[in-house]
């Protein structure tokens, strides 16, 4: 009895998250082809059995599943249009980039034009859970796509939250990210204030230890700052700024004013201007000092 042919997956975008996802897909026995705008960033995946190619259309040719993990909506649209000549009708497109709400209709329209199934599938988690295959996948799409996506989501995540309503996955992702970014800024500002007031940061952490104000994310982000371990990033500051602006835009679209998210986007902008864009988003800390001009 012969074994079934492994599901073939094309991963478009091999940054912090995409590379880890591609690696776990290959380790799960799936046939994986990857493309990245900078091929050099994708090349290390070859050691894990991932086929690295030069063009998006080559990556998706004959793929059962196409997974996009790119920077933003415009990058997704550009790359998928370049991939279109290689798409197989009936393939499933799992769109995992945090792209906001405005582009969802464009994604769905392109999928319909190309006769592929579109699944809104952002993920919750950063570098460490991505590398461990322990992401939470938020998935909204046609039931017919579930069987093709099951081995893919099982390889990259420890849990899949299925949502029936169109666009519900991206909406939930923005709500979740609004909380993640708020906690990051809270940690950064508390440590910045401690610095400014001459308070030992360890005294702050000791005071909340084990109580209702303590939390794992506080410890993780504070540890990065106190240990000077902002690179390589778990979640880059420049990406966090992009997500913060998507959150603010979604709030405006819904008639919800998000003052904290808007202020947080500005903090990230200042940190990026100061040269911290490629560092972990805990670099929001630096936005508390200097004028943010980057000069």
């Amino acid at each position: 009895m012969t074994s079934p042919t492994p599901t073939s997956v094309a991963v478009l975008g091999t940054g912090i998250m995409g590379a880890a996802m591609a690696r776990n897909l290959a380790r799960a026995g799936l046939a994986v082809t990857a493309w990245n705008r900078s091929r050099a960033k994708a090349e290390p995946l070859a050691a894990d059995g991932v086929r690295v190619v030069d063009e998006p259309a080559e990556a998706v040719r004959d793929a059962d599943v196409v997974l996009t993990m790119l920077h933003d909506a415009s990058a997704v649209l550009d790359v998928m249009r370049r991939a279109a000549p290689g798409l197989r009708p009936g393939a499933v497109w799992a769109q995992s980039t945090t792209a906001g709400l405005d582009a969802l209709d464009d994604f769905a329209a392109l999928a319909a034009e190309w006769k592929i199934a579109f699944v809104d599938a952002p993920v919750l988690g950063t570098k460490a859970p991505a590398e461990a295959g322990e992401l939470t996948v938020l998935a909204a799409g046609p039931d017919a796509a579930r069987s093709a996506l099951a081995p893919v989501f099982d390889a990259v995540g420890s849990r899949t939250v299925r949502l029936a309503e169109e666009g519900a996955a991206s909406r939930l992702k923005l709500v979740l990210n609004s909380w993640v970014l708020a906690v990051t800024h809270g940690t950064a500002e508390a440590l910045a204030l401690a610095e400014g007031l001459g308070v030992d940061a360890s005294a702050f952490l000791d005071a909340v230890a084990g109580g209702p104000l303590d939390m794992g994310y506080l410890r993780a982000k504070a540890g990065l700052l106190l240990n000077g371990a902002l690179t390589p990033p778990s979640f880059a500051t420049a990406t966090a700024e992009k997500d913060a602006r998507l959150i603010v835009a979604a709030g405006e679209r819904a008639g919800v004013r998000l003052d904290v998210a808007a202020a947080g986007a500005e903090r990230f902008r200042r940190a990026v201007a100061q040269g911290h864009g490629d560092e972990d988003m805990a670099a929001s800390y630096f936005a508390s000092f200097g004028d943010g001009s980057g000069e």
Side-chain angles (χ1 to χ4, degrees), residues 48-91:
D48 294 282
V50 175
R51 186 169 71 97
V52 179
V53 297
D54 291 320
E55 295 295 334
E58 184 181 0
V60 304
R61 188 163 289 114
D62 299 323
D64 300 313
V65 174
V66 177
L67 175 69
T68 46
M69 182 54 87
L70 297 152
H71 180 66
D72 57 16
S74 63
V76 173
L77 290 169
D78 172 62
V79 171
M80 284 300 288
R81 285 174 178 137
R82 291 171 58 188
L87 290 169
R88 176 179 63 77

Side-chain angles (χ1 to χ4, degrees), residues 70-167:
L70 297 152
H71 180 66
D72 57 16
S74 63
V76 173
L77 290 169
D78 172 62
V79 171
M80 284 300 288
R81 285 174 178 137
R82 291 171 58 188
L87 290 169
R88 176 179 63 77
V92 178
W93 174 19
Q95 203 307 98
S96 295
T97 308
T98 302
L101 305 182
D102 292 343
L104 286 173
D105 288 344
D106 291 334
F107 294 160
L110 289 176
E113 177 186 343
W114 299 328
K115 296 180 174 57
I116 61 176
F118 171 66
V119 177
D120 180 26
V123 297
L124 180 64
T126 52
K127 181 180 179 181
E131 291 177 341
E134 295 177 352
L135 295 167
T136 295
V137 182
L138 313 175
D143 289 343
R146 286 194 178 192
S147 60
L149 288 175
V152 174
F153 291 165
D154 287 348
V156 303
S158 59
R159 181 186 180 205
T160 299
V161 177
R162 298 197 178 276
L163 302 150
E165 189 177 348
E166 186 175 328

Side-chain angles (χ1 to χ4, degrees), residues 9 85 104 107 174 220 245:
V9 184
L104 286 173
F107 294 160
L174 293 178
R245 298 200 184 283

Side-chain angles (χ1 to χ4, degrees), residues 191-204:
L191 293 185
L193 182 60
E195 173 70 18
L197 297 179
V199 173
D200 189 338
S202 64
F204 157 57

